[in-house]
Amino acid sequence: MRDSLRAKIIEVCDAKIKAKGDGVGLSFYAFFKNKNDDPALLMEAATWWIETHQLDHFEKAVKIRAMVAS
């Protein structure tokens, strides 16, 4: 995973956790705007989420943050 995507995921997870607590869930779409302006990056996130780690559609932000940070 490219560093810019890793940094964005951590930033979004931190913001969601701060706003809604440790129990907040999210999908990989949370890391993107509502328009598909970078399809390659979206596919990179989707591949990491779905194929590589076989995660559910919604996962806890704390779990995703820990996975990306390690």
Side-chain angles (χ1 to χ4, degrees):
M1 176 186 305
R2 64 182 89 170
D3 289 339
S4 61
L5 179 55
R6 185 177 309 278
K8 180 66 173 179
I9 290 171
I10 291 171
E11 174 187 325
V12 169
C13 287
D14 284 347
K16 296 276 187 184
I17 293 165
K18 183 178 179 182
K20 298 187 178 187
D22 288 345
V24 68
L26 50 77
S27 76
F28 67 88
Y29 290 112
F31 312 123
F32 299 93
K33 297 176 184 171
N34 286 337
K35 55 185 171 180
N36 189 4
D37 57 353
D38 192 344
L41 190 61
L42 178 63
M43 287 306 298
E44 185 176 335
T47 300
W48 180 88
W49 191 285
I50 298 166
E51 288 184 359
T52 304
H53 295 287
Q54 300 179 347
L55 298 169
D56 289 337
H57 184 75
F58 283 95
E59 293 286 349
K60 300 289 185 200
V62 291
K63 175 182 178 179
I64 299 303
R65 189 192 188 295
M67 290 174 71
V68 172
S70 65

